[in-house]
Amino acid sequence: MSAFVDRISQDVDIRFQLPWNFGDYLVQIPRRLGISESLDAAVDALVTAHTFFCAGNLKPGREVLAKHAQSLAVLRRDLTDTAKTRTSETLAAIMVISITQLFVYPNQSGGCTHTNGATRLLMSRGFAKPRDEFERQLMLTLRGPVVFEALLTDNIHLPSRDWKILNGGIPGSYHKYLDGQWFTCIADVPDLIQRSKAALILHEPPSLHLLSLELEVRALLEDIKPIITKTRDRLDSFDGTSVPAVLSNHLQAHYFRSLAMALGVGIVLNCVLSGLEGTSTAICEESVAWSEEIVQLAEICTIYRPLGSMAMLIALRMAWSGAGCAEAKERIESLLVEYGQTQRRWTLQQL
């Protein structure tokens, strides 16, 4: 347990810190160790993989691979037990394994390899409301990967009802903050895309059904634009002098990734709108400007690699969709490769 506590310490540099990059639910795990074999095995594998990763090893060692394989075997066994499947600890184990997977297979940039499994587990439970604070944090943390996995891959498909239940659990206080606001805008988009694809198959434009979908997208765009402005202003006005250096680094990195993600949300919404009503010059120009801004942010955020800038892997993939020419897309592709290749060039000893 002590080794895991050291790994999740807030004193660890943001470039390697686990809770800041993967969720505060990790801080609550130590008190739950010894309850679930799958969670114990997942934590043991994560500690080994993260230690190996921070030492700058180019490839995962035998011990890392062995413990990762063991954690998967224990999880598979627990998933055959209905009672264990429904516990918070099993859901936590899946999420911890998904973190380990990033260290074992670092070339899977931006992917959430076990998010689909966690989603299926939630579906089997009927997307029940959280039973305690730990489960609430688990589900709140899981929403982000589920949404972006659905946006960026074809791995996740949920009925509209389940999307509403999943997103309906976002706390009301979450909407008071800029980061909660931009996420609220993107949370409904996977379902909106699914409905738009179905509508385009069944209805010839113009139709009232397609017009209704267009109005939904435009409403979300009207919501995201002031959020982009506010997140940009927050970053521009931040000087870091009024807070301790450690907190300053955390805040600045957070403001960078928040702006990049908000810009990416805008690009995705423009892509959906173009699919529904056709591409316009105004939409293209707006997306290109947002894409270029994400690239600029990503170039600055290299100082927070490898873990502190992982959100840029997602933001850059959204920026690629809004890029205006082949040259711009190639620049984004090279940045994605650069982010991935430098993951293992850093070591804690260099800090």
Side-chain angles (χ1 to χ4, degrees):
M1 180 187 294
S2 61
F4 181 63
V5 171
D6 289 340
R7 291 286 124 189
I8 61 174
S9 170
Q10 298 292 332
D11 295 330
V12 175
D13 190 281
I14 193 173
R15 290 174 288 179
F16 293 90
Q17 192 182 121
L18 292 173
W20 191 87
N21 291 294
F22 299 107
D24 286 338
Y25 74 92
L26 291 167
V27 178
Q28 296 195 36
I29 284 181
R31 71 188 69 173
R32 293 177 179 267
L33 294 177
I35 299 175
S36 161
E37 288 185 62
S38 59
L39 182 56
D40 291 352
V43 166
D44 187 31
L46 175 59
V47 169
T48 303
H50 188 248
T51 302
F52 207 79
F53 175 84
C54 292
N57 294 287
L58 296 177
K59 295 181 180 180
R62 290 184 179 180
E63 184 181 9
V64 174
L65 295 174
K67 290 193 174 183
H68 180 53
Q70 175 66 13
S71 69
L72 290 173
V74 175
L75 176 63
R76 279 193 289 267
R77 187 189 65 204
D78 279 3
L79 288 176
T80 63
D81 185 319
T82 304
K84 291 181 179 179
T85 297
R86 294 181 175 275
T87 66
S88 302
E89 287 74 24
T90 300
L91 179 59
I94 294 175
M95 295 174 67
V96 170
I97 287 173
S98 72
I99 301 173
T100 305
Q101 194 94 347
L102 292 171
F103 302 134
V104 175
Y105 305 111
N107 292 330
Q108 294 180 347
S109 61
C112 308
T113 51
H114 285 273
T115 300
N116 199 17
T119 306
R120 287 199 301 270
L121 182 60
L122 288 176
M123 290 177 70
S124 71
R125 292 164 28 146
F127 284 99
K129 292 183 178 180
R131 288 168 287 194
D132 52 33
E133 177 60 20
F134 178 60
E135 192 165 285
R136 188 192 70 81
Q137 286 197 13
L138 282 172
M139 295 183 69
L140 188 60
T141 301
L142 182 60
R143 282 188 185 91
V146 168
V147 168
F148 287 108
E149 184 84 350
L151 283 175
L152 300 173
T153 74
D154 292 324
N155 294 336
I156 293 179
H157 299 277
L158 298 178
S160 294
R161 174 182 57 83
D162 287 342
W163 277 117
K164 289 178 181 177
I165 295 173
L166 183 65
N167 296 327
I170 298 175
S173 59
Y174 200 60
H175 302 280
K176 297 179 182 179
Y177 304 100
L178 279 176
D179 308 298
Q181 291 168 10
W182 69 252
F183 183 76
T184 300
C185 288
I186 198 69
D188 292 324
V189 174
D191 176 51
L192 185 55
I193 291 175
Q194 288 178 190
R195 289 187 287 120
S196 297
K197 287 180 178 178
L200 287 168
I201 293 173
L202 297 173
H203 302 276
E204 288 288 336
S207 75
L208 290 177
H209 191 68
L210 290 175
L211 178 59
S212 174
L213 290 169
E214 289 173 20
L215 292 175
E216 282 189 58
V217 180
R218 288 192 176 278
L220 288 172
L221 275 167
E222 289 304 308
D223 289 339
I224 195 63
K225 288 178 181 179
I227 294 171
I228 290 174
T229 300
K230 290 177 183 178
T231 53
R232 186 186 293 118
D233 291 345
R234 181 177 64 177
L235 176 60
D236 291 342
S237 62
F238 180 73
D239 62 9
T241 58
S242 60
V243 295
V246 173
L247 180 57
S248 176
N249 286 336
H250 281 63
L251 287 174
Q252 188 174 49
H254 176 64
Y255 294 164
F256 272 119
R257 73 177 180 182
S258 293
L259 177 55
M261 297 302 280
L263 291 164
V265 171
I267 292 172
V268 170
L269 289 170
N270 273 344
C271 288
V272 177
L273 188 60
S274 295
L276 287 169
E277 65 176 28
T279 304
S280 71
T281 302
I283 291 176
C284 286
E285 290 178 348
E286 188 173 58
S287 293
V288 167
W290 287 341
S291 177
E292 291 174 350
E293 191 169 356
I294 291 174
V295 169
Q296 293 170 3
L297 293 170
E299 290 173 338
I300 298 171
C301 281
T302 56
I303 60 175
Y304 299 114
R305 290 182 299 192
L307 301 186
S309 57
M310 284 188 65
M312 288 298 170
L313 290 167
I314 297 174
L316 283 168
R317 292 171 71 179
M318 293 189 285
W320 189 93
S321 299
C325 62
E327 183 179 353
K329 289 182 182 292
E330 288 174 3
R331 176 59 186 140
I332 293 171
E333 290 166 3
S334 67
L335 269 173
L336 284 166
V337 171
E338 185 180 345
Y339 263 81
Q341 287 181 342
T342 55
Q343 270 195 332
R344 296 187 178 275
R345 293 180 190 166
W346 299 83
T347 68
L348 281 176
Q349 288 77 10
Q350 292 175 319
L351 302 183

